[in-house]
Amino acid sequence: MRLSLLLAGYAATANAYAHGNVDKRSSFQAKCESFAHQIKVQDATIHSVTHVPIGTNISMSNVPAVCASDADDTSSTFEFCRVALNVTTSSKSQIFMEAWLPSNYSGRFLSTGNGGLGGCIQYSDMVYAAGYGFATVATNNGHFGDTGVYFYHNTEVLEDYAYRAIHTGVVVGKEITKQFYTKGFDKSYYMGCSTGGREGWKSIQKFPDDFDGVVAGSPAFNLVNLINWGARFLPTTGNSSAATFVTDAQWITIHDEILRQCDDLDGAADGIIEDPDLCQPIFETLLCNSTASAGSSSCLTGTQVKTVNTIFSPLYGNNDTILYPRMQPGSELTAAYVYYNGQPFSYAEDWFRYVVYSNPSWDPASWTVNDAVIADAQDPYQVSTFQGDISAFQKKGKVLHYHGMEDPIISSDSSKMYYKHVADTMNLSPSQLDEFYRFFTISGMGHCSTGDGAGSIGQGVGTFAGNDPEDNVLLAMVRWVEEGIAPDFVRGTKFNGTEVEYRRKHCKYPKRNKYVGPGAYEDENAWKCV
Ligand SMILES: *[C@@H]1O[C@H](CO)[C@@H](O)[C@H](O)[C@H]1NC(C)=O
Ligand SMILES: *[C@@H]1O[C@H](CO)[C@@H](O)[C@H](O)[C@H]1NC(C)=O
Ligand SMILES: *[C@@H]1O[C@H](CO)[C@@H](O)[C@H](O)[C@H]1NC(C)=O
Ligand SMILES: *[C@@H]1O[C@H](CO)[C@@H](O)[C@H](O)[C@H]1NC(C)=O
Ligand SMILES: *[C@@H]1O[C@H](CO)[C@@H](O)[C@H](O)[C@H]1NC(C)=O
Ligand SMILES: *[C@@H]1O[C@H](CO)[C@@H](O)[C@H](O)[C@H]1NC(C)=O
Ligand SMILES: *[C@@H]1O[C@H](CO)[C@@H](O)[C@H](O)[C@H]1NC(C)=O
């Protein structure tokens, strides 16, 4: 019933904004075509204004090759007017951006975000949001490609990356939206994950009027120390022939040992760790002995155990300040490929070469805590995005923050650290923060995408699990902003292929999920937030 009410609500809003009536489609096409002559944006070059009918391919032919992996051919399920332009941000920098203006307009504006050091529009997020009737914008974040090389000797491009590209895209995108739809827009939203999560938080901190509702996942905030933390793995593991190195096969053994020690702490031995805070594994149980001998994948040498202990310990500066928290246990099968592989972490390599030292031959194997302290002190354009006072945003906005508890790229402990930082800075208890800031811990979710558990929460096309706001973080945010109904949980779906295997309600921090029965683990009502 809630679903049909919701859809009815959308239809009513869409009707209120439709301008044509009988011949809506062709009049929309004419409107889009004439918009090419009407659109006016300062400091901009308009590349194209294109009418995209339902069922036609959304062309990616103009997407640079370095961004092709984010740009799959998609047959459009909705009709829209597609605008592409460049906007100058300084004498040495410019952004590329697109605005997708759907005919089924809901009266809502939305900006998407980026990933990594990118550099690329996430077209699948545009498809997702514009398909819901949002006037949707995206930028290339000031440069094309998932690389830091453009920061080298050009701090303007770095400034775009830190905050300016998204904000410019929002200012310009809102202007385009007002020029295209005579009624303008009612509410403004943001949705992004990873670097996109950081960009959402940057807006909250620096441009608190940009959005009424922000959905920010797995944020790459505390960015410089995230990079430092990523840089630490190579000197910790050494390369694949070092005595300190731990093999992929040994990481499987370590993962099994983590589950042996921690899986049932939430009441359910289901292979999913609900709250990694409860998991403080002792790896000395894996030390080799006379029956399991060194060199076997079923045990670790003392030197290797030290490597593993470091990985699961915070990164400290040159005093007792934690720069970045530990990797959360549970993510190691994937993290072994991302971080523990004896190779440089490319984002750290780029950051130190093109930002910190402006030295393209800097050697990532040479990284020490002294480098971390130098990088941390720079924090150009406050790219770290870790401001604890968000009181300006509190006055009008809402933020839904989520993080996967199996994230192998950005430790979910970083999100907990930020939540506490905001609470401490603003002197607000969790129940007071609930008024405008809610953080959800998503067990069984990897980095912005699915993992071993119920990780599909509607944060994009690939994780769509239904139109009920309880299953869909974007629609949950719309309901919170427009109807004042705040989410108390986020329900995730575990798919087996296209079949729903089970659903699980994920808790609002600082509550944690506990299996209480009597139903099976797959029964969402057999769990309780405590
Ligand atoms: C869209 O492009 C894809 C791949 O190039 C092609 O397979 C498909 O038939 C095209 N669809 C339409 C509707 O043109
Ligand atoms: C408008 O949205 C409805 C429901 O999502 C969809 O069936 C229809 O094709 C859309 N129409 C256009 C013109 O995009
Ligand atoms: C648009 O800006 C990007 C940098 O963000 C640049 O790479 C590209 O060449 C520009 N496009 C045009 C047509 O000027
Ligand atoms: C690993 O590092 C050592 C010491 O720096 C070096 O001698 C060796 O060639 C490297 N091995 C590999 C596989 O890269
Ligand atoms: C030897 O190590 C193996 C593998 O870690 C373990 O299962 C076994 O219990 C250990 N034996 C003793 C006597 O500690
Ligand atoms: C400890 O180190 C951090 C990071 O290097 C620095 O910001 C902080 O001021 C230092 N604290 C003290 C008490 O020296
Ligand atoms: C997943 O789907 C496959 C194929 O339909 C089926 O054989 C398998 O039992 C399913 N697994 C679970 C856990 O439901």
Side-chain angles (χ1 to χ4, degrees):
M1 174 150 106
R2 174 169 284 125
L3 176 62
S4 58
L5 281 177
L6 181 82
L7 287 175
Y10 280 123
T13 325
N15 283 340
Y17 282 88
H19 304 302
N21 34 41
V22 194
D23 195 11
K24 187 173 157 198
R25 243 211 216 179
S26 63
S27 77
F28 184 81
Q29 176 167 1
K31 181 184 168 80
C32 180
E33 283 161 3
S34 63
F35 193 55
H37 311 292
Q38 292 156 357
I39 181 172
K40 280 202 171 46
V41 181
Q42 267 198 325
D43 301 323
T45 308
I46 310 291
H47 302 314
S48 57
V49 178
T50 316
H51 175 243
V52 182
I54 296 184
T56 56
N57 263 351
I58 303 176
S59 169
M60 295 296 164
S61 59
N62 290 328
V63 175
V66 286
C67 290
S69 65
D70 292 320
D72 294 334
D73 269 340
T74 317
S75 175
S76 187
T77 56
F78 54 93
E79 179 188 30
F80 66 106
C81 188
R82 180 179 184 185
V83 182
L85 64 159
N86 265 34
V87 183
T88 299
T89 49
S90 78
S91 63
K92 289 173 71 184
S93 59
Q94 52 180 317
I95 61 167
F96 172 82
M97 66 177 284
E98 294 201 23
W100 290 14
L101 308 162
S103 63
N104 261 357
Y105 180 46
S106 65
R108 304 181 179 107
F109 173 85
L110 181 140
S111 173
T112 62
N114 304 92
L117 292 180
C120 290
I121 285 180
Q122 300 196 334
Y123 285 98
S124 63
D125 286 349
M126 294 198 85
V127 168
Y128 189 62
Y132 275 120
F134 291 86
T136 305
V137 297
T139 85
N140 74 340
N141 217 5
H143 66 276
F144 284 117
D146 191 9
T147 165
V149 72
Y150 298 103
F151 304 147
Y152 187 47
H153 290 160
N154 191 342
T155 56
E156 297 290 353
V157 177
L158 182 59
E159 190 166 355
D160 280 347
Y161 179 80
Y163 71 87
R164 195 167 52 191
I166 290 282
H167 179 62
T168 303
V170 169
V171 171
V172 169
K174 284 181 175 177
E175 183 54 35
I176 291 175
T177 302
K178 284 192 262 185
Q179 289 177 19
F180 188 75
Y181 303 104
T182 46
K183 292 203 169 148
F185 63 90
D186 284 337
K187 296 290 179 196
S188 170
Y189 295 90
Y190 177 85
M191 184 184 74
C193 197
S194 193
T195 283
R198 182 188 69 78
E199 291 167 328
W201 279 106
K202 178 54 85 179
S203 298
I204 289 169
Q205 295 166 10
K206 193 173 172 71
F207 303 104
D209 295 327
D210 275 2
F211 302 112
D212 300 293
V214 171
V215 179
S218 314
F221 49 22
N222 196 1
L223 178 73
V224 176
N225 288 318
L226 168 59
I227 287 168
N228 279 324
W229 179 77
R232 181 180 62 161
F233 293 113
L234 176 58
T236 300
T237 62
N239 69 22
S240 58
S241 44
T244 42
F245 190 79
V246 177
T247 65
D248 291 343
Q250 286 173 318
W251 277 110
I252 295 173
T253 302
I254 294 165
H255 179 66
D256 291 345
E257 179 65 6
I258 286 173
L259 289 183
R260 192 185 69 79
Q261 294 186 31
C262 298
D263 186 10
D264 63 3
L265 297 177
D266 51 31
D270 60 349
I272 309 289
I273 295 172
E274 288 294 323
D275 187 354
D277 279 356
L278 297 178
C279 183
Q280 305 292 336
I282 307 292
F283 297 107
E284 282 69 13
T285 51
L286 293 177
L287 280 168
C288 297
N289 55 34
S290 52
T291 47
S293 58
S296 129
S297 62
S298 64
C299 69
L300 303 178
T301 64
T303 302
Q304 290 176 320
V305 168
K306 278 188 188 162
T307 297
V308 176
N309 282 335
T310 302
I311 286 170
F312 292 106
S313 308
L315 169 65
Y316 291 91
N318 51 11
N319 56 35
D320 61 2
T321 305
I322 292 182
L323 299 183
Y324 207 80
R326 67 167 186 171
M327 176 59 98
Q328 89 273 286
S331 58
E332 46 285 340
L333 292 184
T334 316
Y337 290 93
V338 179
Y339 283 129
Y340 320 148
N341 57 5
Q343 301 290 323
F345 179 51
S346 71
Y347 297 156
E349 184 172 87
D350 279 15
W351 192 262
F352 277 93
R353 288 181 172 178
Y354 305 124
V355 178
V356 181
Y357 293 130
S358 293
N359 170 12
S361 52
W362 179 80
D363 175 9
S366 72
W367 180 93
T368 70
V369 165
N370 291 333
D371 298 298
V373 171
I374 289 167
D376 184 34
Q378 290 179 342
D379 191 15
Y381 308 106
Q382 295 181 309
V383 70
S384 277
T385 315
F386 218 62
Q387 184 180 310
D389 179 0
I390 52 171
S391 50
F393 180 80
Q394 176 188 15
K395 294 190 180 76
K396 64 165 286 210
K398 313 270 182 241
V399 51
L400 190 163
H401 172 186
Y402 67 87
H403 207 132
M405 296 293 108
E406 282 181 6
D407 192 326
I409 299 179
I410 299 180
S411 176
S412 58
D413 283 16
S414 175
S415 279
K416 293 173 176 172
M417 189 169 157
Y418 182 71
Y419 182 93
K420 291 177 186 169
H421 179 49
V422 172
D424 296 348
T425 305
M426 295 180 70
N427 284 300
L428 294 177
S429 67
S431 62
Q432 291 171 307
L433 283 178
D434 275 356
E435 296 290 315
F436 73 105
Y437 171 16
R438 294 183 176 218
F439 169 45
F440 296 91
T441 54
I442 315 295
S443 67
M445 179 198 261
H447 185 61
C448 300
S449 64
T450 53
D452 295 328
S456 287
I457 58 171
Q459 71 271 36
V461 169
T463 54
F464 176 75
N467 282 315
D468 188 325
E470 292 180 346
D471 298 317
N472 186 311
V473 283
L474 179 58
L475 300 184
M477 177 49 82
V478 168
R479 188 168 68 159
W480 191 6
V481 166
E482 298 181 17
E483 296 171 48
I485 301 172
D488 279 323
F489 59 86
V490 167
R491 183 167 43 222
T493 301
K494 163 77 172 165
F495 286 101
N496 179 10
T498 54
E499 300 280 299
V500 173
E501 199 174 311
Y502 63 90
R503 299 187 202 267
R504 188 169 294 175
K505 293 176 186 168
H506 299 294
C507 302
K508 175 163 57 71
Y509 193 74
K511 287 195 172 166
R512 63 168 58 105
N513 225 353
K514 191 169 170 40
Y515 172 72
V516 291
Y521 299 156
E522 290 76 21
D523 177 0
E524 64 178 84
N525 296 314
W527 293 81
K528 198 170 178 221
C529 295
V530 295

